Amino acid sequence: MSGTVKKVADVAAKAGKAIDWDGLGKMLVSEEARKEFATLRRTFEDVNHQLQTKFSQEPQPIDWEYYKKGIGSKVVDMYKEAYESIEIPKYVDTVTPEYKPKFDALVVELKEAEKASLKESERIEKEIAEMKEMKKKISTMTADEYFAKHPELKQKFDDEIRNDYWGY
């Protein structure tokens, strides 16, 4: 097994540690999404565990002398020669350079969308708080108090009365 596989296993281990699983899990809204997320996390951890155990170890060297005693040197020498002549090609990554700029652009776009989403969430939370406050006070609120919070509605009603428009 080559050092490349060991590097892949190391990178996968570091990636697993860098993922904020709990933070991501808190963002999920539906129960179905939580189940899918839990399945994804288990699968990631299983694959990562396999990479760390199976593929991070160097293989045991072949004991050619042991096989020569049992099978005979002619056959073993033939297999040894064939085994040693095998050249495993090095992987040359041609995909990453092509897609990295696109990925980086998407990350920037995602961060901008996240900022916009957070602003919208803040606005909605504020609106919800106002609605809850309004709900508590609605039974005892006067028209003047309501119009003080919504001057555009007061203006609209005043204009309708001034123009003698009564809605029919």
Side-chain angles (χ1 to χ4, degrees), residues 13 28 34 43 45-46 50 68 93-94 96 108 133 143 168:
L28 302 174
R34 285 189 192 99
T43 304
E45 288 171 352
D46 290 347
Q50 285 182 357
K68 282 182 181 178
D93 185 4
T94 59
T96 302
V108 169
E133 181 184 330
Y168 47 86

Side-chain angles (χ1 to χ4, degrees), residues 7-157:
K7 287 179 189 174
V8 169
D10 291 343
V11 169
K14 288 177 186 173
K17 291 176 186 171
I19 297 172
D20 181 12
W21 292 104
D22 295 331
L24 290 171
K26 289 177 183 174
M27 292 183 200
L28 302 174
V29 179
S30 71
E31 193 59 36
E32 183 179 337
R34 285 189 192 99
K35 287 178 185 175
E36 289 292 326
F37 183 73
T39 303
L40 173 68
R41 184 176 184 177
R42 276 193 307 276
T43 304
F44 179 86
E45 288 171 352
D46 290 347
V47 169
N48 200 18
H49 178 72
Q50 285 182 357
L51 283 172
Q52 290 303 308
T53 55
K54 286 184 181 177
F55 300 112
S56 65
Q57 303 167 1
E58 292 293 325
Q60 295 291 326
I62 298 172
D63 183 4
W64 297 107
E65 294 304 316
Y66 170 80
Y67 290 107
K68 282 182 181 178
K69 291 177 190 171
I71 300 174
S73 64
K74 191 173 187 179
V75 173
V76 173
D77 286 342
M78 184 178 73
Y79 274 98
K80 183 178 179 183
E81 184 181 324
Y83 177 79
E84 290 174 349
S85 70
I86 295 174
E87 256 186 62
I88 299 173
K90 295 281 184 191
Y91 173 72
V92 178
D93 185 4
T94 59
V95 176
T96 302
E98 180 182 341
Y99 287 98
K100 182 143 178 54
K102 294 176 186 176
F103 179 78
D104 291 343
L106 285 174
V107 168
V108 169
E109 186 179 324
L110 177 72
K111 289 187 187 257
E112 290 171 3
E114 179 185 26
K115 286 178 187 175
S117 176
L118 289 173
K119 284 183 181 178
E120 183 65 11
S121 292
E122 287 176 20
R123 185 193 68 74
I124 291 171
E125 289 293 329
K126 190 176 178 183
E127 192 174 313
I128 289 171
E130 289 174 7
M131 291 293 176
K132 285 181 179 179
E133 181 184 330
M134 179 78 74
K135 184 178 176 184
K136 289 178 187 174
K137 295 180 178 179
I138 196 84
S139 61
T140 59
M141 184 181 281
T142 65
D144 289 333
E145 290 172 332
Y146 184 82
F147 287 139
K149 285 193 174 219
H150 303 283
E152 71 281 356
L153 286 177
K154 180 173 179 12
Q155 181 67 41
K156 178 183 171 195
F157 289 138

